[in-house]
Amino acid sequence: MQARSAAPIIRGLKTMSTARSGTSRWGLVLARPPHLLISEPFYTEFVDGVEEAFLGTGAVLVVRLVTSTAKELDVYRDWATTGFVEGVLLVNAQADDPRPALLRELGLKGVMAGAEEPVPGLGCVRAANATPAFAVIERLAGMGHTVVARVSGPRALQHTRVRDEACRRAAERHGVDLSIIPGEYTAKSGEEATLSLLTRTDRSRPTAIVFDNDTMALAGLHSAGEAGIAVPDELSIVAWDDSPACELANPPIAAVAVDVHEFGRLAGQCALTEDPASAPVLSEPPYHWIPRASVGAAPGR
């Protein structure tokens, strides 16, 4: 089905929806269910960072929300046909990503925000997920956790696979029994994964769970409480990506965090170059550990 008009339709994210004469439009298409954007602050912070880079330059950002990669590709075709945008910001690099080739075919400029390696023909803000993923398992092992679970994001995403592999390598090095359960970034998937892990009756029941976003971690914390599991005395919980909700939870949830606003600003900065594809590859801000009360030593340690 052909995509509808390319007007911005997303709620909750600040967008600049009209362009004055002489301005340039850049597009950002988010293939995400609406309820995830409401619960996750990541994209709001990312857009704010892009708009900071665009401020006073004549560039504006148009944001579209769709429900699948196929519909995302349709939006790019529509934008290229109508000349609606000068270029596109891509997020959530996929393992076999069809979007870069389509942008090149359509003659649209592009910036990939968050790829593990530079993408030919596009500007790039390069991610580095392996090091912090390895470090979080190493940190938990140092606190005596020998049985750890990871509730990941969708397997199709590049960073999910990179984090999975780094966690496996860290677990092997430090003698940790690691379980990986695919999640969907939703509260429901966080709840279901947590319950499946905590109902194990053998030695595979984890004493620590690392969730791939804050929404799943918050749901996991709630599920542990409902099951009568004390955090952190019986179970440690870690969120990948921080949020005010993690800070305000009871107990507050430890996080592997990155400056998402700065990440967006770097993507916007790359877009503003005359030829993003020829611009130097930028690196996203480094991840850092935020210690909070949801993480403690392994039970009996």
Side-chain angles (χ1 to χ4, degrees):
M1 181 184 299
Q2 183 66 25
R4 292 180 295 172
S5 169
I9 58 173
I10 186 169
R11 288 183 182 175
L13 289 181
K14 183 173 64 177
T15 64
M16 303 178 73
S17 59
T18 58
R20 302 180 304 275
S21 176
T23 63
S24 63
R25 293 187 187 94
W26 275 76
L28 172 64
V29 181
L30 300 176
R32 308 280 282 174
H35 64 275
L36 288 185
L37 291 169
I38 294 171
S39 62
E40 281 190 316
F42 183 95
Y43 291 105
T44 303
E45 296 176 23
F46 180 83
V47 167
D48 282 344
V50 174
E51 290 190 337
E52 180 181 312
F54 283 3
L55 188 64
T57 66
V60 297
L61 181 65
V62 178
V63 182
R64 279 291 308 272
L65 174 62
V66 297
T67 56
S68 68
T69 298
K71 291 183 179 180
E72 181 179 351
L73 298 177
D74 282 342
V75 173
Y76 300 145
R77 295 184 183 101
D78 183 46
W79 280 350
T81 299
T82 61
F84 187 73
V85 299
E86 176 181 345
V88 172
L89 300 177
L90 299 179
V91 293
N92 285 331
Q94 300 174 24
D96 297 302
D97 204 325
R99 299 172 299 169
L102 178 62
L103 294 187
R104 292 192 293 268
E105 177 187 325
L106 296 173
L108 285 174
K109 294 181 180 180
V111 173
M112 175 66 82
E116 294 292 323
E117 298 293 339
V119 180
L122 301 182
C124 185
V125 182
R126 189 173 180 178
N129 284 279
T131 298
F134 189 100
V136 72
I137 301 300
E138 187 171 56
R139 181 180 296 274
L140 291 170
M143 301 177 76
H145 294 279
T146 58
V147 184
V148 176
R150 163 172 157 77
V151 181
S152 75
R155 182 66 179 164
L157 297 180
Q158 189 181 100
H159 70 252
T160 297
R161 300 188 183 196
V162 170
R163 293 174 190 175
D164 283 353
E165 179 57 29
C167 287
R168 289 190 186 99
R169 287 191 290 105
E172 182 177 355
R173 175 174 296 184
H174 294 285
V176 171
D177 181 2
L178 177 70
S179 299
I180 298 179
I181 297 181
E184 295 295 332
Y185 291 147
T186 64
K188 181 179 180 181
S189 66
E191 176 184 359
E192 291 176 347
T194 304
L195 291 176
S196 72
L197 290 165
L198 296 184
T199 53
R200 293 179 178 178
T201 57
D202 56 15
R203 293 182 179 180
S204 65
R205 174 173 158 176
T207 60
I209 306 176
V210 181
F211 295 88
D212 227 8
N213 78 341
D214 57 325
T215 298
M216 294 193 297
L218 289 160
L221 177 63
H222 176 76
S223 296
E226 291 287 298
I229 305 296
V231 176
D233 294 343
E234 298 175 272
L235 176 70
S236 290
I237 288 179
V238 178
W240 194 291
D241 291 333
D242 192 25
S243 70
C246 286
E247 188 174 3
L248 296 173
N250 184 23
I253 298 177
V256 181
V258 68
D259 186 340
V260 180
H261 180 92
E262 177 64 10
F263 181 38
R265 193 192 66 80
L266 290 171
Q269 177 183 320
C270 186
L272 291 173
T273 59
E274 183 174 350
D275 180 11
S278 299
V281 174
L282 302 175
S283 295
E284 71 176 348
Y287 281 91
H288 56 282
W289 172 255
I290 300 180
R292 293 195 181 112
S294 69
V295 171
R301 174 85 179 246

